[in-house]
Amino acid sequence: MQTPPPVGVDAADLTAPSVAATHLSATVEDLCKEASLASGQPISPSLYNADLAPTKRAGRNWSGYSIFTLWANDVHSLGNYAFAIGLFALGLGGWQILLALGIGAALLFGLLNLSGFMGVKTGVPFPVMSRISFGIRGAQIAALLRGAVAVAWFGIQTYLASVVFRVMLVAMFPSLADLDKDSVLGLSTLGWVAFLILWVVQLAIVSFGMEMIRKYEAFAGPVILATMAAIAVWIFIEAGGAIAWTSDKALEGPEMWLTIFAGGALWVSIYGTFVLNFCDFTRAAVSKKAVVRGNFWGIPINMLVFGAIVVVMAGGQFKINGTIIESPSDIVQTIPNTLFLVLACLALLILTIAVNLMANFVAPVYALTNLFPKRLNFRRAAVVSAVIGLVILPWNLYNNPLVIVYFLGGLGALLGPLFGVVMADYWLIRRGKVNVPELYTASPDGAYFYRNGVNPRAITAMVPAAVVALLIAFVPALASAAPFAWFFAAGIAAAVYYFVADRNQKLEDRDGEAIAVASKH
């Protein structure tokens, strides 16, 4: 990671300078000079470095399986289980939960393919991708909004994983329970130890770059699927081979259908952050077909498997003692065998780390790199992001409903408008035509310079959509529309942008191979 890979100039090409040897210790300024020569475009050090550059097509190695394992981990996150089990608590039965998840999965499959194809074509990460519609400077808005939400949740998810870690440690070493009774800045001594260990582990993985993240996700995916299936089988056996298909307050009629569609819409909203920066991963995908295959097995198929596990867990536990669990960790804590308890906790830790890496660590790393490309590479930005996730004392944020609802909820509500603008601009206005080298030029004549580096039309489209999103999120009278807020916000932003976009601009389609870097970095 610290050694910038060579830009995409063929050293054997007599029309371009040979740069392979000089890149081993090249500065960002040196990289930009050589990229400028290779592309015939003034590449700016404030917009380009080895991590923000497009990836070469040759050597990309994220296969359909790599994409699938992203979802094998993320779909089975503890937060998703809590959400889906919540549908059972609201009164939905087994087939109704599966239908709600199926509706959400079908919509996500389409949205993620559209977002993923952008990464395959351009090879650029999300902060650079957003320059297309928001401008080379306006893109900071999109990247920082996505990064701020992610870095806060990185800390929170690390804290939640540390709770599971504490359970495992106490099960293995009961004497450690005494260290879990004090409080230092809101966390016990054992809590601090567990949190810092997980914090260091995640930072170590990310410091080796996206290739290490790919390998970790590939390792974790099968472990998680096997563990969750095993927990479901165990609870099914404990329930005597039968489950309760509904709770005592089963919904019927219009209320049932409203809850089903609301559940499907919320399922999409949960992934509203990830559909924005999916190109951070697909920029290294071998082809569009790999993205489609990975998404197919990882979204509709995997989500239905997830739904079946949810139904068995929730229905089985309800059949046993009439209680509704909140997440699989509730079941894990009841496992009577210490060895199996420890193994289950370890699997949940592997899962949470995998989810955190893909959903909450990569986005702020790229956002910070985009903000300070001269000073931060992927590894340094990872350290900064992790430190922020620590110093905000995320357990105190998590325990403060006002912070979760108003700060993180408010920022999250703005991601729908971002998605609407980016998608409308790329697919409807440009029809996929992008001049990739000009994403890295600060010249006023550049295609994405707009007005002082900001596209005012994109901001104009965002404002009404953001207002609607925030009103739906915070005005009690609009609570019934809350499950569909992401769709309202994204749809309004896309529609407004479609009508205000500049249709007189010259659209060129030029790849970034001349300034590209190897995807393994």
Side-chain angles (χ1 to χ4, degrees):
M1 277 302 304
Q2 290 181 322
T3 302
V7 292
V9 182
D10 188 349
D13 187 350
L14 297 179
T15 64
S18 177
V19 298
T22 61
H23 274 275
L24 294 177
S25 59
T27 65
V28 172
E29 286 78 7
D30 292 334
L31 290 174
C32 289
K33 287 178 183 178
E34 296 176 17
S36 298
L37 286 174
S39 65
Q41 202 103 19
I43 303 300
S44 172
S46 65
L47 299 171
Y48 180 93
N49 66 16
D51 295 299
L52 297 176
T55 55
K56 289 182 178 180
R57 288 193 172 276
R60 294 182 183 180
N61 63 345
W62 282 65
S63 63
Y65 177 76
S66 302
I67 302 297
F68 162 73
T69 54
L70 286 180
W71 307 126
N73 291 305
D74 194 70
V75 168
H76 292 268
S77 71
L78 296 182
N80 284 350
Y81 273 103
F83 165 76
I85 292 170
L87 297 178
F88 185 85
L90 288 174
L92 292 186
W95 71 267
Q96 296 152 355
I97 291 174
L98 291 176
L99 179 58
L101 297 179
I103 292 171
L107 293 170
L108 276 173
F109 178 68
L111 294 173
L112 285 165
N113 282 336
L114 289 175
S115 181
F117 290 167
M118 294 163 63
V120 175
K121 177 181 172 64
T122 63
V124 303
F126 172 69
V128 177
M129 184 74 70
S130 56
R131 294 173 189 173
I132 301 170
S133 49
F134 284 90
I136 58 172
R137 303 301 177 200
Q140 300 288 9
I141 300 172
L144 290 176
L145 276 174
R146 174 65 182 99
V149 173
V151 75
W153 280 111
F154 160 75
I156 290 172
Q157 291 287 355
T158 301
Y159 160 66
L160 293 176
S162 73
V163 174
V164 176
F165 194 18
R166 283 153 58 190
V167 172
M168 186 181 81
L169 289 175
V170 171
M172 295 173 64
F173 309 103
S175 61
L176 291 179
D178 292 336
L179 299 177
D180 208 20
K181 296 176 182 179
D182 59 346
S183 179
V184 180
L185 297 177
L187 206 59
S188 69
T189 300
L190 183 61
W192 271 104
V193 171
F195 182 91
L196 290 175
I197 289 175
L198 295 178
W199 184 86
V200 169
V201 167
Q202 292 174 95
L203 181 57
I205 293 172
V206 172
S207 69
F208 286 98
M210 292 296 290
E211 176 64 7
M212 181 60 74
I213 292 176
R214 182 187 70 83
K215 291 178 179 178
Y216 182 85
E217 299 291 334
F219 152 74
V223 173
I224 299 315
L225 287 172
T227 300
M228 291 304 179
I231 293 175
V233 169
W234 181 72
I235 204 73
F236 183 74
I237 294 173
E238 289 292 302
I243 64 171
W245 287 97
T246 61
S247 65
D248 291 337
K249 51 178 182 179
L251 297 178
E252 297 179 350
E255 187 179 7
M256 176 193 74
W257 287 106
L258 177 61
T259 305
I260 287 174
F261 285 108
L266 285 171
W267 195 229
V268 175
S269 299
I270 289 172
Y271 285 88
T273 55
F274 206 84
V275 292
L276 265 179
N277 70 303
F278 190 32
C279 58
D280 288 344
F281 302 89
T282 60
R283 65 192 294 241
V286 296
S287 66
K288 289 183 178 180
K289 288 184 179 179
V291 173
V292 173
R293 284 197 300 269
N295 282 344
F296 175 74
W297 289 102
I299 299 298
I301 302 302
N302 182 41
M303 284 184 175
L304 289 178
V305 172
F306 163 81
I309 292 174
V310 166
V311 171
V312 172
M313 283 185 179
Q317 188 64 48
F318 192 80
K319 175 80 162 42
I320 292 172
N321 57 14
T323 61
I324 299 176
I325 59 173
E326 293 184 0
S327 80
S329 58
D330 293 345
I331 295 177
V332 168
Q333 294 183 49
T334 66
I335 296 176
N337 184 287
T338 301
L339 175 61
F340 290 146
L341 171 64
V342 170
L343 291 176
C345 286
L346 183 61
L348 293 183
L349 290 178
I350 292 172
L351 163 64
T352 305
I353 289 174
V355 172
N356 227 9
L357 291 176
M358 63 177 287
N360 298 320
F361 215 154
V362 172
V365 167
Y366 275 127
L368 288 168
T369 305
N370 185 58
L371 194 60
F372 305 106
K374 294 181 183 180
R375 294 178 173 84
L376 296 180
N377 59 16
F378 196 94
R379 176 175 290 178
R380 292 176 191 144
V383 173
V384 174
S385 181
V387 169
I388 294 172
L390 170 63
V391 299
I392 60 175
L393 303 180
W395 46 89
N396 291 331
L397 296 183
Y398 182 73
N399 293 325
N400 188 335
L402 292 178
V403 172
I404 296 295
V405 172
Y406 290 105
F407 176 66
L408 293 178
L411 288 179
L414 300 178
L415 298 181
L418 286 176
F419 181 79
V421 170
V422 170
M423 291 293 113
D425 182 61
Y426 185 91
W427 291 109
L428 301 180
I429 303 301
R430 301 180 184 279
R431 300 187 182 276
K433 293 181 179 180
V434 180
N435 187 330
V436 176
E438 292 213 1
L439 292 170
Y440 301 93
T441 179
S443 169
D445 297 326
Y448 311 105
F449 188 79
Y450 297 108
R451 187 178 300 172
N452 296 320
V454 179
N455 182 5
R457 298 171 192 260
I459 303 301
T460 299
M462 265 198 68
V463 170
V467 170
V468 170
L470 292 172
L471 287 175
I472 292 175
F474 299 129
V475 175
L478 300 176
S480 59
F484 309 95
W486 189 89
F487 290 93
F488 281 119
I492 291 171
V496 173
Y497 187 80
Y498 182 78
F499 286 107
V500 304
D502 181 7
R503 285 174 169 74
N504 296 320
Q505 57 187 317
K506 182 181 178 181
L507 302 179
E508 291 185 274
D509 198 27
R510 183 184 175 193
D511 67 38
E513 284 294 303
I515 60 171
V517 300
S519 62
K520 290 185 179 181
H521 68 288

